[in-house]
Amino acid sequence: MLTFDILEYQERLKNTKERMAREGIEVLLITDPANMNYLSGYDAWSFYVHQMLVVIIDEPQPIWIGRLMDANGAKATTWMYDENIMSYPDYYVHSEKYHPMEFIAEILNEIGHGNRHIGVEMDQYYFSAKAYMTLLRKLPNATFKDATSLVNWVRIIKSDQEIEFMRRAGKIAEQSMDAAVAAIHTGSRENDAAAAIYYELIKGTDEFGGDYPSIVPMLPTGENTSTPHLTWSENYFEEGNAVIIELAGCYKRYHAPLARTVSIGPPPERLERLGHIVREGIENVLDRAKPGIYLEELEEAWRESTRKYGIEKESRLGYSMGLNYPPDWGEHTASIRKGDKTELKPNMTFHFIPGLWFENDGIEMSESFVITEDGVDMLTNYPRELIVNSPFHFPDNSSGIIS
Amino acid sequence: MLTFDILEYQERLKNTKERMAREGIEVLLITDPANMNYLSGYDAWSFYVHQMLVVIIDEPQPIWIGRLMDANGAKATTWMYDENIMSYPDYYVHSEKYHPMEFIAEILNEIGHGNRHIGVEMDQYYFSAKAYMTLLRKLPNATFKDATSLVNWVRIIKSDQEIEFMRRAGKIAEQSMDAAVAAIHTGSRENDAAAAIYYELIKGTDEFGGDYPSIVPMLPTGENTSTPHLTWSENYFEEGNAVIIELAGCYKRYHAPLARTVSIGPPPERLERLGHIVREGIENVLDRAKPGIYLEELEEAWRESTRKYGIEKESRLGYSMGLNYPPDWGEHTASIRKGDKTELKPNMTFHFIPGLWFENDGIEMSESFVITEDGVDMLTNYPRELIVNSPFHFPDNSSGIIS
């Protein structure tokens, strides 16, 4: 039931331990579910309770510690021996009296690691302030070190199998975008379009099934296109409105995000013009991308292309991504923005999303790509343009695209 | 665009401030997205970056602080004045140099609250260890107090409109369960069933559209029914296997969860027997539930009913739920378990899920209910039994239920 060959997991563990050694970390407490999956294979929706993977620099296998009812899931999905799966009783769950980190600290003391240099992911969703304070109190002889993103940086260069998974996710993204475009007309509600997207995302293709993306499809519509993170309402689509669609295909937790903007009926000239500007900017960036350059140079390429039109973009243009769990598919490592000196290398993967949001409108077109030996390769192939839909539904031509 | 009347938000705020006063908290920093929504109306998938709602005991309106690109979303979905929406620049996002809590601490200092008694949600997904340490460093004159679940406890008694939303979620749960049952046969993959569920969850009914549930549908199958939190694979269903389905309908962020177990073909006698035991246990508990009793008495009712069959359940039997965001629909307040002295009151709502997991198999049947003036009312109505499907697909009778 392992997703990757056991040798791939062991290679990942070796790379993690090398980083630990450089940082002076002997024991790494991993609470990011993507990092747990990356090193162990563990895949379950159990991250809403405290759990972790413990990597000990001088031990061959990590230890999984979680809730008793999830231990069988850990045995089923990871490569480690059963004795490396440990669990706490249920009375620790969402209790005001007991905290799972008390239990975990006791284990660390018992197996002789309570006084070592311990790395923790300080700025991570599933490592709360209380979790940290509990460890500090129960492990008074340990020396804690911030290891936020330590494993994330190991993840930044993908294996060929990971890239293949992301290509599958890309296929799923394309068919889901088709379903979205087809569902956007005045006879349909925003949630109907979201349902059509979700069906394709999870059904996948005949060859491979879809997994849930770490972020739900976003569908800001009309005035709400001025902000990127509204999901959907139960309102009917209206003629003359634009709709931004941001979604990601997902295969075995690996993502390929894709964003497009649809105009319901002929677009205002302004939106059409923005569509051309964004497309030109994207193509300039893709032309520049190749191994050896810094990420900030991609931001420069965007700025050179768009400033002649008076466009200034305050927010970052994209980020490294791949394996993840809710609430984010981004990897929290390299960003396409000013000052980012990450050097591009083959098999790095990015979501490039130069969204523009103004006071009353906005536009998004995005691309997911992989760095190759001499340039980039796209993870999704979808017409790179503002999509113009007929406002009305044509059952015989379900996409209803005008242009 | 407000989901509830402004008076309902103000009543919620008043109840929150009363609790703050009792706890000696003057300024409450709310990072739980459900609590942010509950008090302000804010609804967006932006909780993957740091954000908060600040409730000041002597100020009439809360302050929303988040990422610049999300400020328009806050203006669109909340009841507060625009000047109470504040935002930090994008270079704070996922940076190793800057942290959004530095910016937020500066605002608190500037507006004169940096030296007060400040409540923080210490054990909450979106308040990281680093967020807390940053506030401690930047607000040296503040006195911090753990306010985990303070607002959650205000949420435990629902308004009539909230109950109505949960009834709608219940309808969506029922139709999604129908779709799940219909899709479980040997011609279908696990992800095909998940796609069918998702379509119904989001499409909702003709009268109201569905929202995304805070947890994805769980579909542990075969031996994996021994653990509850595995999602789905791309394997075909096999004759003789059982499948546990746990899902929730969701309407405007309000949930109604529902779990059932399906046997593909005639079930083993053991599973059938477990089905009867669980059903009897559920009915004993529902008979006992009414205002005035303690939650632990529901656990007693379950134990009395099931111990004669040799069943012992280690994990809790259920929890308060309603409004929420990923990764959990549970409210993290009251649990149906030994020692929980929460007194039942009208308009409390629970997901009662006495799942049984053994070494190689398991069973789940659950019910969502609301406490009424003199008993309980169900939020979902679905046959309370082990569902037995034909292993084969009958296109004319898509559900294919044998019994």
Side-chain angles (χ1 to χ4, degrees):
Chain A
M1 217 180 135
L2 275 182
T3 303
F4 293 88
D5 192 278
I6 194 166
L7 294 177
E8 185 157 342
Y9 290 108
Q10 287 174 345
E11 176 72 18
R12 296 169 176 185
L13 187 62
K14 182 172 81 69
N15 293 337
T16 300
K17 287 182 175 177
E18 279 170 15
R19 273 184 188 262
M20 287 168 62
R22 280 209 297 278
E23 306 270 334
I25 292 170
E26 299 168 293
V27 177
L28 180 59
L29 309 186
I30 297 170
T31 45
D32 179 332
N35 292 339
M36 290 178 70
N37 174 318
Y38 186 72
L39 295 176
S40 74
Y42 184 59
D43 179 29
W45 191 293
S46 58
F47 38 87
Y48 70 92
V49 298
H50 291 287
Q51 57 179 20
M52 66 167 62
L53 195 75
V54 184
V55 173
I56 300 162
I57 200 150
D58 36 23
E59 293 285 346
Q61 292 198 4
I63 300 169
W64 180 97
I65 312 177
R67 186 183 186 180
L68 179 58
M69 66 170 69
D70 295 318
N72 278 342
K75 288 175 188 166
T77 59
T78 69
W79 57 273
M80 291 102 68
Y81 295 143
D82 282 3
E83 62 254 38
N84 279 35
I85 309 298
M86 301 183 179
S87 57
Y88 57 81
D90 214 66
Y91 60 81
Y92 281 98
V93 172
H94 301 155
S95 157
E96 290 176 357
K97 266 213 240 151
Y98 308 99
H99 198 283
M101 288 297 162
E102 296 165 358
F103 180 94
I104 289 172
E106 276 162 33
I107 290 187
L108 290 173
N109 275 326
E110 273 169 32
I111 61 178
H113 299 297
N115 57 356
R116 299 189 83 174
H117 287 76
I118 297 181
V120 284
E121 297 172 311
M122 289 291 287
D123 207 14
Q124 206 276 105
Y125 311 111
Y126 303 108
F127 189 64
S128 69
K130 175 104 176 244
Y132 181 52
M133 298 313 281
T134 305
L135 288 182
L136 279 186
R137 182 168 51 79
K138 298 285 286 184
L139 296 171
N141 300 317
T143 307
F144 285 94
K145 214 165 162 170
D146 187 356
T148 304
S149 297
L150 185 148
V151 182
N152 306 52
W153 280 105
V154 178
R155 280 160 48 201
I156 197 169
I157 295 181
K158 275 70 184 172
S159 72
D160 290 343
Q161 189 179 338
E162 288 180 292
I163 298 290
E164 171 57 24
F165 281 12
M166 293 175 79
R167 288 191 193 283
R168 293 181 180 190
K171 290 272 172 253
I172 293 172
E174 291 164 14
Q175 75 184 37
S176 303
M177 186 60 78
D178 276 341
V181 172
I184 292 177
H185 52 74
T186 56
S188 172
R189 300 169 299 181
E190 292 175 32
N191 62 290
D192 296 328
I197 294 169
Y198 251 124
Y199 184 76
E200 295 296 328
L201 285 176
I202 310 301
K203 189 160 181 73
T205 73
D206 288 347
E207 290 78 40
F208 44 86
D211 202 348
Y212 61 90
S214 295
I215 305 179
V216 297
M218 312 278 194
L219 279 179
T221 299
E223 280 221 348
N224 287 338
T225 54
S226 65
T227 185
H229 297 129
L230 299 178
T231 50
W232 60 79
S233 77
E234 54 191 343
N235 297 331
Y236 279 86
F237 291 109
E238 286 177 32
E239 188 172 352
N241 274 349
V243 184
I244 290 175
I245 305 154
E246 185 181 351
L247 56 78
C250 185
Y251 181 73
K252 292 189 189 285
R253 310 300 330 123
Y254 283 83
H255 293 76
L258 178 66
R260 286 294 182 271
T261 302
V262 176
S263 173
I264 308 174
E269 206 188 302
R270 171 183 156 79
L271 190 62
E272 206 161 14
R273 200 171 58 87
L274 287 171
H276 292 302
I277 294 170
V278 172
R279 179 189 173 139
E280 187 187 313
I282 289 176
E283 288 172 356
N284 266 22
V285 168
L286 294 176
D287 283 349
R288 189 80 66 90
K290 62 175 183 193
I293 70 161
Y294 293 142
L295 262 185
E296 64 176 359
E297 293 176 60
L298 299 187
E299 193 276 337
E300 267 170 47
W302 166 264
R303 202 155 15 98
E304 279 164 22
S305 165
T306 56
R307 79 176 144 201
K308 61 180 174 286
Y309 304 109
I311 297 290
E312 276 186 51
K313 184 166 161 53
E314 183 257 0
S315 49
R316 66 176 176 177
L317 293 167
Y319 42 80
S320 178
M321 55 86 207
L323 170 71
N324 227 329
Y325 284 88
D328 197 5
W329 55 52
E331 223 162 50
H332 300 191
T333 49
S335 289
I336 306 176
R337 64 180 159 194
K338 236 183 262 190
D340 193 310
K341 303 274 187 206
T342 310
E343 187 188 326
L344 288 182
K345 293 187 180 151
N347 279 19
M348 285 185 172
T349 50
F350 295 91
H351 183 213
F352 171 41
I353 176 162
L356 297 177
W357 304 283
F358 304 95
E359 206 40 45
N360 300 300
D361 61 357
I363 188 166
E364 286 181 32
M365 270 192 255
S366 82
E367 299 289 348
S368 289
F369 62 79
V370 50
I371 301 293
T372 61
E373 290 301 324
D374 55 1
V376 295
D377 197 11
M378 309 312 295
L379 293 170
T380 56
N381 284 291
Y382 208 83
R384 194 177 294 149
E385 60 196 11
L386 175 69
I387 297 162
V388 180
N389 263 10
S390 161
F392 314 110
H393 183 45
F394 301 106
D396 292 342
N397 164 20
S398 65
S399 87
I401 296 174
I402 290 179
S403 66
Chain B
M1 219 179 136
L2 275 181
T3 303
F4 294 89
D5 191 277
I6 193 166
L7 294 176
E8 184 157 341
Y9 290 109
Q10 286 173 346
E11 176 73 17
R12 296 168 175 186
L13 189 61
K14 185 172 80 68
N15 294 337
T16 300
K17 286 182 177 178
E18 279 171 15
R19 273 184 186 261
M20 287 168 62
R22 280 209 296 279
E23 306 270 336
I25 291 170
E26 299 168 291
V27 177
L28 180 59
L29 308 186
I30 298 171
T31 46
D32 179 332
N35 291 339
M36 290 178 71
N37 174 318
Y38 185 72
L39 295 177
S40 74
Y42 184 60
D43 179 31
W45 191 293
S46 57
F47 38 85
Y48 71 91
V49 298
H50 291 286
Q51 56 179 20
M52 66 167 63
L53 195 74
V54 184
V55 173
I56 300 161
I57 199 149
D58 37 23
E59 293 285 347
Q61 293 197 4
I63 300 169
W64 180 96
I65 312 177
R67 186 182 187 182
L68 179 59
M69 67 170 68
D70 295 319
N72 278 342
K75 289 175 189 167
T77 58
T78 69
W79 57 273
M80 290 104 67
Y81 295 142
D82 281 3
E83 62 253 38
N84 279 33
I85 309 298
M86 300 183 181
S87 57
Y88 58 80
D90 214 67
Y91 60 81
Y92 282 98
V93 172
H94 301 153
S95 157
E96 291 176 357
K97 266 214 237 148
Y98 306 100
H99 198 282
M101 289 297 163
E102 296 166 358
F103 180 93
I104 289 172
E106 275 162 34
I107 290 187
L108 291 172
N109 275 326
E110 272 169 32
I111 61 178
H113 299 297
N115 56 357
R116 299 188 84 175
H117 287 75
I118 298 181
V120 284
E121 297 173 311
M122 290 290 289
D123 207 13
Q124 206 275 107
Y125 311 110
Y126 303 108
F127 189 64
S128 69
K130 175 102 177 245
Y132 181 52
M133 299 311 281
T134 306
L135 288 181
L136 280 184
R137 182 167 52 79
K138 297 284 287 184
L139 296 171
N141 300 317
T143 307
F144 285 94
K145 214 168 159 166
D146 187 356
T148 304
S149 298
L150 186 149
V151 181
N152 306 53
W153 280 104
V154 177
R155 279 162 45 202
I156 196 169
I157 296 183
K158 275 69 181 172
S159 72
D160 289 344
Q161 190 180 336
E162 288 179 293
I163 298 291
E164 170 57 25
F165 281 13
M166 293 173 78
R167 289 192 191 282
R168 292 182 180 188
K171 291 271 171 255
I172 294 172
E174 291 164 14
Q175 75 184 35
S176 303
M177 187 60 78
D178 276 341
V181 172
I184 291 176
H185 53 75
T186 56
S188 173
R189 300 168 299 180
E190 293 176 28
N191 62 291
D192 295 329
I197 294 169
Y198 250 124
Y199 184 77
E200 294 297 327
L201 285 176
I202 310 300
K203 189 161 183 73
T205 73
D206 288 347
E207 290 79 39
F208 44 86
D211 203 349
Y212 60 90
S214 295
I215 306 180
V216 297
M218 311 278 193
L219 280 179
T221 298
E223 281 222 348
N224 287 338
T225 55
S226 66
T227 184
H229 297 130
L230 299 179
T231 52
W232 60 80
S233 77
E234 55 191 343
N235 297 334
Y236 279 86
F237 292 109
E238 286 177 32
E239 188 172 352
N241 273 349
V243 184
I244 289 176
I245 305 155
E246 184 180 353
L247 56 79
C250 184
Y251 181 72
K252 291 188 188 286
R253 311 298 332 122
Y254 284 84
H255 293 76
L258 178 65
R260 287 293 182 273
T261 302
V262 176
S263 173
I264 307 173
E269 206 187 304
R270 169 183 158 81
L271 190 62
E272 207 162 14
R273 199 171 59 87
L274 286 171
H276 292 302
I277 293 170
V278 172
R279 180 189 172 138
E280 186 187 314
I282 288 177
E283 289 172 356
N284 265 23
V285 168
L286 293 176
D287 284 349
R288 188 80 65 92
K290 64 176 181 191
I293 71 160
Y294 293 143
L295 263 184
E296 64 176 0
E297 294 175 60
L298 299 187
E299 193 276 334
E300 267 171 48
W302 166 266
R303 204 157 13 98
E304 279 164 21
S305 165
T306 55
R307 80 177 143 200
K308 61 180 174 285
Y309 303 110
I311 297 290
E312 275 186 53
K313 183 166 162 53
E314 183 258 359
S315 50
R316 66 176 176 177
L317 293 167
Y319 43 80
S320 178
M321 56 85 207
L323 171 70
N324 228 329
Y325 285 87
D328 197 6
W329 54 53
E331 223 162 51
H332 300 192
T333 49
S335 288
I336 305 177
R337 63 179 158 194
K338 236 183 263 189
D340 193 309
K341 302 275 186 206
T342 309
E343 186 189 327
L344 289 182
K345 292 187 179 150
N347 280 18
M348 284 183 172
T349 48
F350 295 91
H351 183 213
F352 172 41
I353 176 162
L356 297 178
W357 303 284
F358 304 94
E359 207 39 46
N360 300 303
D361 62 358
I363 188 166
E364 286 181 36
M365 270 193 255
S366 81
E367 299 289 348
S368 290
F369 63 79
V370 50
I371 301 294
T372 62
E373 290 302 324
D374 56 1
V376 295
D377 197 14
M378 309 311 295
L379 293 170
T380 54
N381 285 290
Y382 207 84
R384 195 176 292 149
E385 60 193 15
L386 176 69
I387 298 163
V388 180
N389 264 9
S390 160
F392 313 110
H393 182 47
F394 300 107
D396 292 341
N397 164 21
S398 65
S399 88
I401 296 175
I402 290 179
S403 66

